[in-house]
Amino acid sequence: MKPLYVHPDIAYAKTIDTDFYLNPAYFEASKENIFAPSWQYLGETGMLNDNTTVYPITLLPDYLHEPLILTRDNAQQIHCLSNVCNHRGNILIPAACKAKHLRCQYHGRLFQLDGRFISMPEFQGVQNFIPENNHLPELPLYRLGNLLFTQLKPGPSPDTYFKEMMQRVYWLPIDQMVYRPDLSATYEVNAHWALYCENYLEGFHIPFVHPQLNAILNFKEYTTEIFPYSNLQVGVAKAGDVCFNIPADAPDAGKAIAAYYFWVFPNMMFNFYPWGLSLNVVEPKTPSHCTVRFIAFVYDESKLGSGAGSGLNTVEMEDEAVVQQVQKGIRSRFYHHGRYSVLHEKGTHHFHRLLANSFTNA
């Protein structure tokens, strides 16, 4: 793999080399350099209910393929554990269930719901077997309202990723958000995962690609703010359109904000609307294909179907069409780099810098 470099000054910078999208070696290396140390969405606390104390999850199933379990123990503590028995590698829990312990169905090894080893049948005579060294690996767990996130290997703290977002929208009733599967959707996109993300990270294309959204947002007041591992695009409503009721002590008091578009490195978008949150998770599959999950959480149903948070499927179709054209274009022998709009592409420049630095600092 050749070195990646993006100049820190957007006025001088070229976009990241197309080799990042096209060379399968980068796609493979991104698993450990980008995704494993980042915070990834697991699900929401409602998955662990009265009838379910154990919930298996495969994290990024077509890419990282990491089998995990969410458990809720007798003290109502939630844990994120490896779902692989440390005896012979069997998947411990194949389906969500209510259980007091975790028992491997292969040879009967038994664990507490917090991952602590309990027992193993027929292991008499095994030398140097230390029970304390046979607990299931427990992963860090970060909770944002009812949303759960984890990190597969040591990396920056969750505050590094989420602090600015939570400070900005602290006044939203995030704890009251209700998951709505009927409003959620999954899309298959024939494009590299990073191309999808970088399209999200600039409002430059809105007047050209999204006529319905452009009629709602005031493009002249559209802004982008950069943070260490996230950034924010603020969509201001045109006169009369639906916007947030922002308290007087909040940073955006007095502004007609129609949407907060928070992106969290590398693959999550938190789209806050007056009705709730559309969490978009981009899951890599191949260097030319990704899955995008729109996961909806509602706290004010009366505002559904209005403002910037309406017509999300239409906006998605418009984004997919242009991103899939870019996927074709980057294969051209005549294209390797572009330049950035200083006014409108700060978010994309920031993303490319983080990508390049992930390999430089590896």
Side-chain angles (χ1 to χ4, degrees), residues 39 142 156-167 227-230:
W39 288 87
Y142 175 70
S157 71
D159 272 356
T160 310
Y161 287 78
F162 299 104
K163 180 179 69 175
E164 287 83 5
M165 180 170 69
M166 297 315 300
Q167 288 176 340
F227 312 115
Y229 279 87
S230 64

Coordinates of all heavy atoms in Angstrom, one line a residue, residues 39 142 156-167 227-230:
W39 N -15.7 3.4 18.2 CA -16.9 3.0 18.9 C -17.9 2.6 17.9 O -18.2 3.4 17.0 CB -17.3 4.1 19.9 CG -16.4 4.2 21.0 CD1 -15.2 4.9 21.1 CD2 -16.5 3.4 22.3 NE1 -14.6 4.7 22.3 CE2 -15.4 3.8 23.1 CE3 -17.4 2.6 22.8 CZ2 -15.2 3.3 24.3 CZ3 -17.2 2.0 24.1 CH2 -16.1 2.4 24.8
Y142 N -20.5 1.7 26.2 CA -20.8 3.2 26.4 C -22.3 3.3 26.1 O -22.8 2.8 25.1 CB -20.0 4.0 25.5 CG -20.4 5.5 25.5 CD1 -20.2 6.3 26.6 CD2 -21.1 6.1 24.4 CE1 -20.5 7.6 26.7 CE2 -21.5 7.4 24.5 CZ -21.2 8.2 25.6 OH -21.6 9.5 25.6
P156 N -9.3 5.6 21.4 CA -9.8 6.8 22.1 C -11.0 6.5 22.9 O -11.8 5.7 22.6 CB -10.1 7.8 20.9 CG -9.2 7.3 19.8 CD -9.2 5.8 19.9
S157 N -11.2 7.3 24.0 CA -12.3 7.1 24.9 C -13.6 7.6 24.2 O -13.6 8.3 23.2 CB -12.1 8.0 26.1 OG -12.2 9.4 25.8
P158 N -14.7 7.1 24.7 CA -16.0 7.5 24.1 C -16.2 9.0 24.2 O -16.8 9.6 23.3 CB -17.1 6.8 25.0 CG -16.4 6.4 26.2 CD -14.9 6.2 25.9
D159 N -15.7 9.7 25.2 CA -15.8 11.2 25.2 C -15.2 11.8 24.0 O -15.7 12.8 23.5 CB -15.1 11.7 26.5 CG -16.1 11.8 27.6 OD1 -17.3 11.4 27.5 OD2 -15.6 12.2 28.7
T160 N -14.1 11.2 23.5 CA -13.4 11.8 22.3 C -14.3 11.7 21.1 O -14.3 12.6 20.2 CB -12.1 11.0 22.0 OG1 -11.4 10.8 23.2 CG2 -11.3 11.6 20.9
Y161 N -15.3 10.8 21.1 CA -16.2 10.6 19.9 C -17.5 11.4 20.1 O -18.0 12.0 19.2 CB -16.5 9.2 19.7 CG -15.4 8.4 19.1 CD1 -14.3 7.9 19.9 CD2 -15.3 8.1 17.8 CE1 -13.2 7.2 19.3 CE2 -14.3 7.3 17.2 CZ -13.3 6.9 18.0 OH -12.2 6.2 17.4
F162 N -18.0 11.3 21.4 CA -19.4 11.7 21.6 C -19.6 13.0 22.4 O -20.7 13.5 22.5 CB -20.2 10.6 22.3 CG -20.3 9.3 21.5 CD1 -19.5 8.2 21.9 CD2 -21.1 9.2 20.4 CE1 -19.5 7.0 21.2 CE2 -21.2 8.0 19.7 CZ -20.4 6.9 20.1
K163 N -18.5 13.5 23.0 CA -18.7 14.6 24.0 C -19.3 15.9 23.4 O -20.3 16.4 23.9 CB -17.3 15.0 24.6 CG -17.4 16.1 25.6 CD -16.0 16.4 26.2 CE -15.1 17.1 25.1 NZ -13.8 17.5 25.7
E164 N -18.8 16.3 22.2 CA -19.3 17.5 21.6 C -20.8 17.4 21.2 O -21.6 18.3 21.3 CB -18.5 17.9 20.4 CG -17.1 18.4 20.7 CD -16.1 17.3 20.9 OE1 -16.4 16.1 20.8 OE2 -14.9 17.7 21.3
M165 N -21.2 16.2 20.7 CA -22.6 16.0 20.4 C -23.5 16.1 21.6 O -24.5 16.8 21.5 CB -22.7 14.6 19.7 CG -24.2 14.3 19.3 SD -24.3 12.8 18.3 CE -23.9 11.5 19.5
M166 N -23.1 15.5 22.7 CA -24.0 15.5 23.9 C -24.0 16.9 24.5 O -25.0 17.3 25.1 CB -23.5 14.4 24.9 CG -23.6 13.0 24.3 SD -25.2 12.7 23.5 CE -26.3 13.0 24.8
Q167 N -22.9 17.6 24.4 CA -22.9 19.0 24.9 C -23.9 19.9 24.1 O -24.5 20.8 24.6 CB -21.5 19.6 24.9 CG -20.6 19.0 26.0 CD -19.2 19.5 25.9 OE1 -18.7 20.0 24.8 NE2 -18.4 19.4 27.0
F227 N -14.8 18.6 15.0 CA -14.3 18.2 16.3 C -13.3 17.0 16.1 O -13.1 16.6 15.0 CB -15.5 17.7 17.2 CG -16.6 18.7 17.2 CD1 -17.8 18.3 16.7 CD2 -16.4 19.9 17.7 CE1 -18.9 19.2 16.7 CE2 -17.5 20.9 17.7 CZ -18.7 20.5 17.2
P228 N -12.6 16.6 17.1 CA -11.5 15.6 16.9 C -11.9 14.3 16.2 O -11.3 13.9 15.2 CB -11.0 15.2 18.3 CG -11.3 16.5 19.1 CD -12.6 17.0 18.5
Y229 N -13.0 13.7 16.6 CA -13.5 12.4 15.9 C -14.9 12.5 15.5 O -15.6 11.5 15.3 CB -13.3 11.2 16.9 CG -11.8 10.7 16.8 CD1 -10.9 11.3 17.7 CD2 -11.4 9.7 16.0 CE1 -9.6 10.8 17.7 CE2 -10.1 9.2 16.0 CZ -9.2 9.8 16.8 OH -7.9 9.3 16.8
S230 N -15.4 13.7 15.3 CA -16.8 13.9 14.8 C -16.9 15.3 14.2 O -15.9 16.1 14.2 CB -17.8 13.8 16.0 OG -17.5 14.9 16.9

